[in-house]
Amino acid sequence: MGLVGWYVKKFFRLIRGEVLVLPSRIIVGLFVVFLLGLPLISQNPYLIRILILTSIFAILAASWDLLSGFTGQMNFGHALFFGVGAYASALLHINVHIPPWGSIPLGGVAAVLAGLIIGIPCLRLKHTYLALTTLAFPIILTGIIFALPDLTGGELGISGLQRLTNSLLGNYYIYIILFLVLSVIMWKITDSHTGIIFHAIREDELAVKAAGINTTRYKLLAFCLSGLFAGISGGLYAHYMRIAGPSTLEVSMSFSVVIWAVFGGMVTIYGPIAAVFILFPLLEFVRFWPEYRTMIFAVVILLILLYMPEGLIHWARDKMEKQCPRCKIRNVATRKNCRVCTAALD
């Protein structure tokens, strides 16, 4: 009991000293509590379905940020990883009879292989050339799928997949917990030594090379990590929808990911996640006015990009907090001195 009490006290000290000191962390904490506690308020199947799909696309958007936001390798064909994960998971489940808990991670592994296939020829390309080249890969894979209808189901896709569980609440908690865990892993990667090198490659690749770091290896690693998480999200989507079809490889899917990341704020991981949780339910809400649906969505995107060019989350965070010029620790915007080094905050 003494050891348990010590860990409980340590947990509350951590909450009080690290979470409650910044508004952004409090909001994230409340958001997690909301997600986990929602079924206690409502178990509406439609609402549960929207949140499950939102969590899947949030993983996908964060995985794009991990590659294009942090390393600057602009990928306009991110749907490839999503589609490869969905199709690989579906094929392994239908043909080899691997259960969803096995086929979804293997779908992620297949997307890693796709990341290697794309990453190696694209390493010498930059900016527009890289973006256009990556855009071609999902189109090529769609052509292969249509050319092999006996294996891939052609235009109809592969249907009849098994869900992770047939329970409504079981599915909700599995998808939400997986979303939270994978998001934290991606955030920790970007906050690690590897993430710092990703940052440096985006800012000045030549300087990183001059420091003796193999930038090729790290860019390839970024492609593989991004592919892994996007492939897992594709497998989760296929098993939840019970079908893997060509729609997972559509160009609109690739551009939606980019819009989510830019809307929320790139180079954050949590920015694209927040954007998906705002924009995806918004699209569902305006479905009641189908004639204005696209226009409302476009106006919201344009207003955000016009007045908040670095993204919604960057803007909101700068309003609530400010960074210490000496130790770079963030503080509540109302503070006059840094909470760590006591330096004056402008």
Side-chain angles (χ1 to χ4, degrees), residues 14-326:
L14 181 71
I15 295 291
R16 189 175 59 189
E18 296 294 331
V19 177
L20 298 180
V21 292
L22 290 176
S24 59
R25 294 178 184 173
I26 295 173
I27 292 171
V28 171
L30 291 175
F31 173 67
V32 173
V33 171
F34 166 76
L35 284 180
L36 296 177
L38 181 74
L40 300 175
I41 303 169
S42 171
Q43 296 185 10
N44 184 304
Y46 178 70
L47 180 62
I48 297 290
R49 173 189 166 87
I50 294 298
L51 284 175
I52 288 175
L53 290 175
T54 304
S55 64
I56 292 171
F57 290 128
I59 298 169
L60 179 64
S63 70
W64 184 87
D65 196 31
L66 180 62
L67 170 63
S68 298
F70 280 86
T71 66
Q73 303 297 300
M74 200 53 66
N75 179 10
F76 275 10
H78 205 59
L80 175 77
F81 298 137
F82 189 71
V84 166
Y87 268 99
S89 182
L91 286 170
L92 289 169
H93 178 65
I94 294 294
N95 297 327
V96 191
H97 306 296
I98 296 177
W101 285 107
S103 63
I104 292 172
L106 289 174
V109 173
V112 170
L113 296 176
L116 284 171
I117 293 170
I118 291 180
I120 291 171
C122 292
L123 286 174
R124 294 182 180 276
L125 301 175
K126 291 183 179 179
H127 311 305
T128 311
Y129 300 103
L130 176 62
L132 292 177
T133 305
T134 52
L135 182 62
F137 284 98
I139 299 171
I140 294 170
L141 184 58
T142 305
I144 294 173
I145 286 169
F146 288 158
L148 301 170
D150 293 337
L151 178 66
T152 62
E155 294 181 1
L156 299 177
I158 304 169
S159 58
L161 305 183
Q162 184 184 342
R163 282 184 173 166
L164 285 167
T165 171
N166 291 322
S167 162
L168 180 72
L169 286 185
N171 261 317
Y172 175 77
Y173 277 113
I174 287 171
Y175 277 86
I176 291 298
I177 290 171
L178 282 175
F179 150 69
L180 292 173
V181 170
L182 294 177
S183 299
V184 169
I185 291 173
M186 281 188 271
W187 179 71
K188 292 300 289 182
I189 289 172
T190 59
D191 199 38
S192 65
H193 176 72
T194 302
I196 292 170
I197 294 176
F198 286 171
H199 270 289
I201 289 173
R202 185 191 68 246
E203 295 297 328
D204 192 340
E205 186 177 347
L206 195 60
V208 178
K209 280 184 179 176
I213 295 172
N214 187 339
T215 57
T216 302
R217 190 177 67 181
Y218 277 95
K219 286 196 289 187
L220 209 53
L221 175 63
F223 266 103
C224 293
L225 287 173
S226 179
L228 174 66
F229 292 108
I232 291 174
S233 69
L236 290 169
Y237 178 81
H239 279 279
Y240 181 69
M241 300 300 288
R242 303 191 65 197
I243 183 170
S247 62
T248 56
L249 291 160
E250 285 179 349
V251 175
S252 61
M253 176 68 78
S254 294
F255 283 120
S256 294
V257 176
V258 179
I259 290 171
W260 289 328
V262 175
F263 180 92
M266 293 169 59
V267 201
T268 55
I269 294 295
Y270 50 80
I273 290 173
V276 178
F277 272 89
I278 293 170
L279 294 178
F280 192 77
L282 175 67
L283 264 178
E284 289 298 320
F285 178 71
V286 296
R287 196 182 287 276
F288 296 108
W289 301 283
E291 62 273 24
Y292 303 115
R293 187 169 181 242
T294 307
M295 188 184 72
I296 294 172
F297 183 75
V299 168
V300 171
I301 299 286
L302 284 174
L303 286 175
I304 292 295
L305 296 184
L306 186 62
Y307 293 103
M308 306 166 195
E310 292 187 355
L312 176 65
I313 302 305
H314 279 297
W315 178 86
R317 196 179 181 193
D318 288 341
K319 293 292 180 187
M320 294 186 295
E321 301 167 2
K322 52 189 173 186
Q323 192 177 49
C324 173
R326 184 193 291 171

